[in-house]
Amino acid sequence: MQRPFIGLTAATAALGMAAVLTGCGATGSGDVTLHLVAADYDVSGGQTSKVYWEQLTTAFEAEHPGIKVEVQIESWNDVDRKVAEMVEAGNAPDVAQIGAYADYAADGRLYAADQLLSVPVQSNFLVPLTDAGEYKGTQYGLPFAASTRLLFYNKELFAEAGITGTPETWDELAEDARALKDSGVRYPFALPLGPEEAQAETLMWLLSGGTGYTDAVDKYAIDSQANISAFEWLRDELVKPGLTGPVAPGELNRKDAFAAFTRGEVGMLNGHPSLMQAAEKEGVDVGKVELPGREGEAKGSMGVADWIMGFKENGHRKEIGAFFDYVFSDANVLAFARQNDLLPPTVTASEAMEKDPEHADLREFLHALPTSVLPPVGKTSWAAVSETIKKKIGKAMEPGGSVAATLSEIDGDAAEAEAAE
């Protein structure tokens, strides 16, 4: 998952930590110390991730005599690399909470989910997240935190442009963008296809009007005719008429688009919960709807997830399983999601958050997540393909650029990477 801009307040942290970190799991036998490496979600430089894990593991150890958990927190800039170095050195952690799992699953280093989790816990994950956690049909990646994307709009700018509803088709979206431009909005529709996170923006539009990154048998199909048609529409109906703002889409990064939205300079863009929180703090009245499909409802919204996994190296399967059953109790899942403006990856915790009036502003995201589509993170080739998309997709929007040629080039690179899996 691309790291969110987390707007963590003291009140939010207190709410998350006030949850009683409880759960049930079988007690391990003997004296075992589990080594957990986890990512730091507190980009403000605070200690909220450390405190979360300290409180959780202290409570777990009290209920599971004989099992200790040693926690190592690393920044998102370092955590994936450090775990990779540990594995390469023959010193894999028992548990890693990081951004990707597929390479370790392909190397046979991970326990499968059904080797670790009780049936109620494994069956409680939201279906798209379970599917995304599978490598060759077996789940190895356990979704630890989730998010999805919605179409954001600035209500004040909409009103000033005389727009009274929200777009339900692409043509209506373009019509609203024209009205925003006519009223002087700097970015009527911000389209960040720059190298920071172009693979995410691309997938949102492919799900909205194309076929996505893969076909029905999970092979890359990036240059499908539907995908080409979708991006030709973007080029011809949004980019060429100047409805995407003063910066070319291929040069506009997500961070800059989000910052412009919080300044009140963007009429519409695709955003996530943390952007909503940041914009509202700056006084932007944010509206949220699902990105429409070309002629109506879209195929689905884009989902994202971070992962937690158990390594086989030290042979602590039963102890890791007891720990995971505890981690995925509703109280623990909700505490982490609330603390970090993220969505719970489980059915029961999602239902609890949806009923909580304090999180009413997340309901649209919660509604979208169960039918969302994630990038093909279960492919070991995805990291390379994602980088290719980031580098090349912006060319499709350039003057004189060819959408078909660009998508064909990306698909060819993807096919080569897939063949090497």
Side-chain angles (χ1 to χ4, degrees):
M1 180 191 299
Q2 183 70 31
R3 302 283 60 77
F5 296 100
I6 297 170
L8 182 65
T9 65
T12 304
L15 174 63
M17 291 301 100
V20 179
L21 298 173
T22 61
C24 297
T27 300
S29 59
D31 292 324
V32 169
T33 297
L34 300 178
H35 182 198
L36 162 67
V37 179
D40 185 359
Y41 284 74
D42 193 339
V43 297
S44 67
Q47 298 291 312
T48 56
S49 294
K50 180 181 179 181
V51 171
Y52 173 84
W53 284 113
E54 284 180 349
Q55 293 195 3
L56 185 149
T57 55
T58 297
F60 170 78
E61 290 170 356
E63 293 192 16
H64 298 76
I67 308 178
K68 300 294 183 184
V69 184
E70 176 187 88
V71 180
Q72 177 181 342
I73 304 293
E74 299 287 350
S75 75
W76 271 111
N77 292 331
D78 300 323
V79 67
D80 287 277
R81 173 181 57 80
K82 289 198 173 186
V83 169
E85 290 173 352
M86 294 168 67
V87 171
E88 182 67 21
N91 188 32
D94 296 287
V95 177
Q97 189 274 298
I98 52 179
Y101 69 88
D103 285 341
Y104 300 122
D107 289 343
R109 297 182 181 274
L110 301 181
Y111 289 115
D114 60 7
Q115 294 177 293
L116 296 171
L117 301 175
S118 63
V119 172
V121 171
Q122 186 178 3
S123 63
N124 196 28
F125 292 123
L126 292 164
V127 171
L129 305 182
T130 296
D131 292 345
E134 293 182 352
Y135 172 74
K136 294 189 175 179
T138 298
Q139 185 183 4
Y140 294 95
L142 312 182
F144 181 73
S147 186
T148 190
R149 305 293 169 86
L150 295 174
L151 174 63
F152 285 16
Y153 62 96
N154 184 312
K155 290 183 180 181
E156 182 178 349
L157 296 182
F158 262 46
E160 291 173 355
I163 304 170
T164 57
T166 57
E168 297 183 359
T169 66
W170 283 10
D171 285 344
E172 291 181 8
L173 186 149
E175 181 180 345
D176 290 346
R178 284 191 290 272
L180 290 163
K181 182 181 180 182
D182 291 343
S183 69
V185 175
R186 182 172 172 81
Y187 292 90
F189 193 106
L191 185 66
L193 293 175
E196 180 194 354
E197 206 200 18
Q199 85 289 353
E201 186 73 19
T202 297
L203 180 56
M204 284 181 262
W205 287 99
L206 297 187
L207 294 174
S208 176
T211 53
Y213 283 136
T214 57
D215 60 19
V217 294
D218 201 34
K219 296 290 185 182
Y220 289 112
I222 298 170
D223 63 346
S224 70
Q225 187 55 52
N227 287 347
I228 292 171
S229 177
F231 260 67
E232 287 179 341
W233 186 94
L234 280 177
R235 179 195 62 193
D236 296 340
E237 303 300 327
L238 288 185
V239 179
K240 283 185 176 180
L243 303 181
T244 55
V247 181
E251 298 175 5
L252 181 64
N253 281 323
R254 184 196 69 159
K255 180 179 179 180
D256 298 325
F258 281 14
F261 187 78
T262 64
R263 294 194 300 267
E265 298 176 358
V266 175
M268 294 179 280
L269 88 173
N270 293 310
H272 57 44
S274 296
L275 173 62
M276 176 189 68
Q277 304 285 358
E280 289 176 346
K281 286 179 182 177
E282 296 300 321
V284 177
D285 192 0
V286 182
K288 311 178 292 294
V289 295
E290 292 193 40
L291 182 66
R294 192 160 188 169
E295 302 296 336
E297 189 173 343
K299 174 182 176 180
S301 60
M302 186 193 77
V304 290
D306 294 329
W307 306 95
I308 195 167
M309 61 212 71
F311 282 85
K312 293 179 178 179
E313 185 169 307
N314 300 315
H316 295 153
R317 181 182 65 82
K318 289 178 63 177
E319 292 81 6
I320 296 171
F323 181 63
F324 280 166
D325 276 359
Y326 193 86
V327 166
F328 286 109
S329 69
D330 282 354
N332 292 330
V333 169
L334 284 167
F336 190 84
R338 287 165 173 162
Q339 176 181 295
N340 294 293
D341 297 331
L342 294 169
L343 305 182
T346 64
V347 174
T348 53
S350 293
E351 291 172 348
M353 180 174 274
E354 186 171 348
K355 294 174 183 176
D356 186 347
E358 190 160 350
H359 296 285
D361 56 354
L362 293 176
R363 285 174 182 161
E364 291 93 342
F365 297 99
L366 291 165
H367 290 163
L369 187 59
T371 57
S372 65
V373 179
L374 278 74
V377 293
K379 293 177 172 290
T380 58
S381 59
W382 172 241
V385 174
S386 175
E387 288 302 312
T388 297
I389 296 167
K390 291 178 185 180
K391 293 175 182 177
K392 296 183 177 182
I393 193 64
K395 294 191 301 182
M397 298 294 112
E398 293 176 355
S402 168
V403 170
T406 299
L407 294 186
S408 179
E409 182 180 352
I410 293 172
D411 193 72
D413 293 343
E416 290 184 12
E418 189 170 42
E421 284 186 314

